[in-house]
Amino acid sequence: MVVLLGAAALLSSCALLPGRVGLRDDDYGKAEARMVQIADALKSHDAAALKGMFSPYALDRATAIDEGLDYVLSFFPSGEITWQENTVNSKDAASHGKKSELLLAYYKVSASGNDYWLYFADFTVNDVVNPENVGIYALGVASWVEDTRSPEVEPFFRWAAAVDLEGSGTDGYPGIWVPPAS
């Protein structure tokens, strides 16, 4: 019994570490609420609403955001979509009573008989790293394939995996993922 209690205390203390990748109780709810907002904008082809969800920091550093929004909306011509959560994770940091939380979510989105991966990175609060970076940092859509290491989607998942709390690096750039030109 003592060993089990010790193990439980040790595992639960990991949640107190800064920069952890994990999941808080409300992450699913936050991800679902953001997905509803995204889906509403996709259904109505409202590029301005999608753009308004991005953080000022991401908008300032994104390249060709309007073209990226057109690219994302092109996947949903009929405006009818359904979605199902695939994975929700989070990264966070805390310092001197302040915190930053980055929500990372993958959904399976279906439209017009086709399935897609939809990914978003959303800073729900960002007092430690960058207060100007609250809102969606990154959004992307790719064809649905079961094998996420498939050459067809590998660049998409490499980009999504590179998004971090600091918003640095060339692979995890802010804005909208658009496949590299062939």
Side-chain angles (χ1 to χ4, degrees):
M1 184 70 157
V2 172
V3 172
L4 289 175
L5 287 174
L10 181 62
L11 290 173
S12 66
S13 69
C14 293
L16 302 175
L17 297 174
R20 71 178 171 85
V21 175
L23 200 58
R24 292 174 302 278
D25 290 340
D26 62 345
D27 286 345
Y28 288 111
K30 288 178 184 179
E32 186 64 17
R34 181 59 89 180
M35 186 61 216
V36 167
Q37 291 176 331
I38 292 169
D40 286 346
L42 294 174
K43 287 177 185 178
S44 61
H45 284 255
D46 190 345
L50 274 175
K51 190 174 184 177
M53 294 178 212
F54 280 83
S55 73
Y57 178 86
L59 287 173
D60 187 46
R61 284 157 183 77
T63 7
I65 190 80
D66 293 321
E67 292 82 358
L69 290 166
D70 289 343
Y71 174 77
V72 167
L73 291 173
S74 73
F75 285 90
F76 310 101
S78 72
E80 293 300 318
I81 67 169
T82 60
W83 68 90
Q84 175 183 347
E85 169 204 307
N86 184 274
T87 305
V88 175
N89 287 309
S90 63
K91 296 180 181 183
D92 60 23
S95 177
H96 305 292
K98 296 181 178 182
K99 65 181 179 177
S100 290
E101 298 173 348
L102 175 61
L103 192 61
L104 307 163
Y106 292 90
Y107 281 81
K108 182 178 186 178
V109 178
S110 302
S112 302
N114 298 306
D115 295 327
Y116 305 100
W117 285 99
L118 185 139
Y119 165 81
F120 63 87
D122 188 6
F123 280 95
T124 58
V125 63
N126 200 351
D127 297 325
V128 175
V129 180
N130 182 351
E132 289 294 311
N133 198 10
V134 175
I136 292 179
Y137 176 81
L139 175 72
V141 177
S143 295
W144 180 268
V145 295
E146 293 294 330
D147 180 5
T148 59
R149 292 172 291 167
S150 156
E152 182 181 353
V153 294
E154 188 270 332
F156 170 77
F157 284 98
R158 185 179 55 234
W159 166 77
V163 172
D164 61 20
L165 279 167
E166 287 76 30
S168 58
T170 56
D171 284 340
Y173 60 84
I176 298 185
W177 184 79
V178 176
S182 310

